[in-house]
Amino acid sequence: MAVACHIDPGEFTVSLPPLVEPAAELTVDEIRRYSRHLIIPDVGVEGQKRLKNARVLCVGAGGLGSPALLYLAAAGVGTLGIIDFDTVDESNLQRQIIHGVSDIGRPKAESAAASIREINPLVDVVIHNTVLDRENVREIFAQYDLILDGTDNFATRYMVNDAAVLLGKPYVWGSIYRFDGQASVFWAEHGPCYRCLYPEPPPPGMVPSCAEGGVLGVLCASIGSIQVNEAIKLLTGIGEPLVGRLMVYDALEMSYRKIKVRKDPNCVLCGENATLTDLMEDYEDFCGAVSVEAQEAVVDATITAAELKEWQDADKDIFLVDVREPAEHEIVRIPGSTLIPKGEIISGEALAKLPQDKQIVLHCKSGVRSAEALAALKAAGFRDAVHVQGGVLSWIKQIDPSLPEY
């Protein structure tokens, strides 16, 4: 990913006024419930009243959204919005602790709302069981004081950033991958926005998703808790929020470091001569699910899982290549496949391992990585190579449902 050159180590802190006005009063029940907050001088009754009056939207009820929503609810944020269109899957339960076994198949927003009400019935929960898109993002964001970003894809991150900047909303951002996490507060009125840090998305396939690369479950709690901490500071006007600072966490080394992020005067969205004055027409296209080369490579070079099975049953002379990582191959594999990770194909290291007298068939988990690898093979002269649309997931769905999804 392209990172703005105006990032450098150092300390930069800023104190901001409270984001919301305090509610009129706390009830007796609220005083009992939040007593441990009330006796903290920096929070006190006034701070708790501000939390009660606050409206926070959590984008996503997944890995980051789960701990964030639980702690926002426990802290007494008066109105919590949840936007998520997905349903609970068994593979979510390793890290998305707001959901349980009985919630499998249930909409995540509804499952999360039920957990919140169990933790704190004093919180008003607003469910947005829909896809966040260009058409509804402004209307939804306008209802809230602060946005907490728990998304896991670049297209939505850029849209969240752009909508927040255009509406003048602060938002708390977090990102997780394997053992690493990042968090920051983006508020163009007082500091940089997400585009100041990452002006351009990474090239397609460069940064694997958590579904492809994995994530340590407890890392979600670490970063999600930081996000809630920042939200509380912003809402109540205490401490020094992470505006203009990027917190980087390494769970293996148990190390935190802060990087100063300056506002980019040339930022297309929040810079002095901004050229992006409205939401983009297509964020998916901007971020590119797959590269142009991959899109071109798969034309007339894509087969289905069912076709692959037919080829195998007919003993067609093919060489089936699994371009995933070794850990994924160990979990589940298509029979007859040979593991050659995508990186080795892209670099050219593995080309010598591929037979010249057999048709090469590539597959990954969902078809994205195999498309990128296919482009590299086509460029190297393997003109009749193909890839499996939908990858392992399609194989499980169409051919062998007994295999485990991951």
Side-chain angles (χ1 to χ4, degrees), residues 33-319:
R33 175 179 285 270
Y34 308 126
S35 63
R36 298 304 186 271
H37 272 179
L38 303 183
I39 60 178
I40 301 174
D42 290 345
V43 180
V45 173
E46 189 79 358
Q48 194 63 48
K49 287 180 180 179
R50 295 185 192 278
L51 292 177
K52 178 180 179 177
N53 209 31
R55 300 177 62 86
V56 175
L57 175 68
C58 187
V59 184
L64 291 175
S66 288
L69 285 166
L70 291 175
Y71 273 105
L72 287 169
V77 171
T79 301
L80 278 179
I82 309 168
I83 181 163
D84 200 311
F85 68 94
D86 201 4
T87 56
V88 180
D89 180 82
E90 188 175 9
S91 66
N92 301 148
L93 304 183
Q94 163 257 7
R95 64 202 177 282
Q96 299 180 18
I97 58 172
I98 205 167
H99 313 296
V101 173
S102 62
D103 296 313
I104 293 175
R106 187 180 187 186
K108 286 185 179 180
E110 295 180 10
S111 170
S115 296
I116 289 171
R117 294 185 182 111
E118 183 66 23
I119 288 173
N120 191 349
L122 304 179
V123 172
D124 182 23
V125 185
V126 182
I127 295 174
H128 304 278
N129 190 8
T130 184
V131 176
L132 187 69
D133 58 27
R134 189 182 188 277
E135 303 306 317
N136 62 20
V137 63
R138 285 177 182 266
E139 178 185 355
I140 293 174
F141 279 20
Q143 303 172 41
Y144 297 92
D145 303 303
L146 180 144
I147 313 300
L148 191 144
D149 184 9
T151 58
D152 62 356
N153 66 85
F154 290 103
T156 307
R157 285 175 185 167
Y158 278 97
M159 183 175 63
V160 167
N161 173 78
D162 296 355
V165 171
L166 293 172
L167 291 171
K169 305 279 184 180
Y171 80 101
V172 184
W173 170 80
S175 175
I176 50 176
Y177 178 68
R178 291 186 175 169
F179 299 99
D180 301 318
Q182 299 180 0
S184 189
V185 172
F186 296 113
W187 195 357
E189 184 178 337
H190 298 283
C193 76
Y194 182 75
R195 286 182 182 268
C196 294
L197 178 62
Y198 297 122
E200 299 287 341
M206 179 68 71
V207 181
S209 67
C210 290
E212 295 176 339
V215 60
L216 186 69
V218 72
L219 179 67
C220 302
S222 300
I223 301 302
S225 296
I226 291 174
Q227 289 181 278
V228 174
N229 188 59
E230 293 305 305
I232 290 174
K233 287 156 60 179
L234 289 167
L235 295 169
T236 59
I238 62 175
E240 297 170 338
L242 286 174
V243 175
R245 293 182 293 164
L246 176 69
M247 177 69 74
V248 181
Y249 172 56
D250 185 328
L252 284 182
E253 294 186 1
M254 190 49 67
S255 64
Y256 290 89
R257 62 190 179 95
K258 286 178 287 187
I259 301 173
K260 180 167 63 175
V261 184
R262 296 176 179 172
K263 192 177 185 70
D264 182 3
N266 299 313
C267 177
V268 296
L269 184 67
C270 72
E272 298 170 0
N273 299 299
T275 57
L276 185 62
T277 58
D278 198 357
L279 296 174
M280 301 180 71
E281 289 294 332
D282 193 333
Y283 284 90
E284 292 288 347
D285 184 60
F286 172 65
C287 293
V290 294
S291 67
V292 174
E293 293 79 9
Q295 293 177 37
E296 294 173 350
V298 300
V299 176
D300 298 325
T302 299
I303 65 171
T304 65
E307 287 175 309
L308 172 59
K309 184 66 166 62
E310 291 174 2
W311 286 9
Q312 289 181 325
D313 291 343
D315 291 328
K316 185 171 181 177
D317 199 16
I318 64 172
F319 187 70

Side-chain angles (χ1 to χ4, degrees), residues 319-345 350 354 360-366 369-370 373 388 391-392 406:
F319 187 70
L320 181 60
V321 178
D322 184 346
V323 304
R324 298 174 300 158
E325 295 301 308
E328 296 176 272
H329 187 73
E330 188 175 345
I331 295 170
V332 60
R333 67 196 70 173
I334 296 178
S337 61
T338 298
L339 176 66
I340 304 178
K342 183 193 77 172
E344 296 182 17
I345 294 176
L354 300 175
I360 308 298
V361 179
L362 306 174
H363 82 80
C364 62
K365 180 179 180 179
S366 63
R369 284 175 284 176
S370 59
V388 181
V392 169
Y406 69 99

Side-chain angles (χ1 to χ4, degrees), residues 332-333 335 392-404:
V332 60
R333 67 196 70 173
V392 169
L393 295 179
S394 289
W395 180 271
I396 293 172
K397 183 177 181 180
Q398 298 177 24
I399 309 300
D400 191 354
S402 68
L403 294 175

